[in-house]
Amino acid sequence: NSMNVYTRTSQQTMMLKQIADGYASIRESGATPLLFIDEAHLFQQDVFRQLHLLAQPFPTSRVVPVVMCGQESLIDKLSDPFCKPLMSRIIDGYNIHAMGIEEYRNYMKHQVEVIGGAQDVFDDAALTVIHQSTAGLPRRVNETALLALKEAMDRGAHTVTADMVRLVSKKWWEK
């Protein structure tokens, strides 16, 4: 449900009023508003200093749940002393850490099973190179594995090799 907030204003109070009205409209329709922010690590620090205002109760509404997703730098930004008002409203958090080699191999096995692929689609050396080149970070693992699968498909190969993973995991300026 869109709130149709006019964002081309420098007047914070005007925007907050529009957001409060949007929250009220959503509640009137029988739904509960939820503010979902993806890629929150990309925000400038001053945005975090103001973000708590969107989660606080307005005169006509209750507290609005906020879900923020982002990369590891999000935690660093939220640790800033100026973010204390926002941090005081955070009930829970979860940080996805890098997978160890055994967890990673189980993860890859599961992902291949989910898509109905053959378990030998990645040879053992390719699995090792993916883990090494991604440091076991799930988002990077997924991205690298997909690029390696595409490389194998482009070559007409049925198995992803370590060389294919090395090729797709190079930085663009190294290619």
Side-chain angles (χ1 to χ4, degrees), residues 2 8 11 20-21 27 38 46 48 51-52 58 62 69 74 87 92 104 109 123 139 148-149 152 160 165 172 175:
S2 175
R8 295 179 189 243
Q11 295 181 351
D21 292 346
R27 282 202 169 88
D38 195 14
D46 62 324
F48 292 106
L51 195 56
H52 74 281
F58 289 94
R62 300 179 297 267
C69 299
L74 175 59
M87 291 299 289
D92 200 1
Y104 154 77
K109 180 180 178 185
D123 71 22
R139 180 180 280 192
L149 285 167
V160 174
V165 175
W172 63 267
K175 290 184 180 179

Side-chain angles (χ1 to χ4, degrees), residues 108-119 121-122 145-146 149:
M108 290 294 289
K109 180 180 178 185
H110 173 75
Q111 294 298 328
V112 170
E113 285 174 1
V114 166
I115 63 169
Q119 281 302 314
V121 71
F122 293 95
L146 285 172
L149 285 167

Side-chain angles (χ1 to χ4, degrees), residues 7-58:
T7 58
R8 295 179 189 243
T9 179
S10 60
Q11 295 181 351
Q12 181 180 349
T13 54
M14 183 177 172
M15 252 200 259
L16 288 173
K17 169 80 169 90
Q18 289 177 10
I19 291 169
D21 292 346
Y23 288 166
S25 173
I26 291 170
R27 282 202 169 88
E28 286 171 12
S29 73
T32 301
L34 167 71
L35 179 58
F36 187 92
I37 304 168
D38 195 14
E39 303 290 347
H41 63 280
L42 298 174
F43 281 165
Q44 296 295 322
Q45 199 64 38
D46 62 324
V47 173
F48 292 106
R49 295 177 188 145
Q50 306 279 330
L51 195 56
H52 74 281
L53 297 172
L54 296 178
Q56 71 185 8
F58 289 94

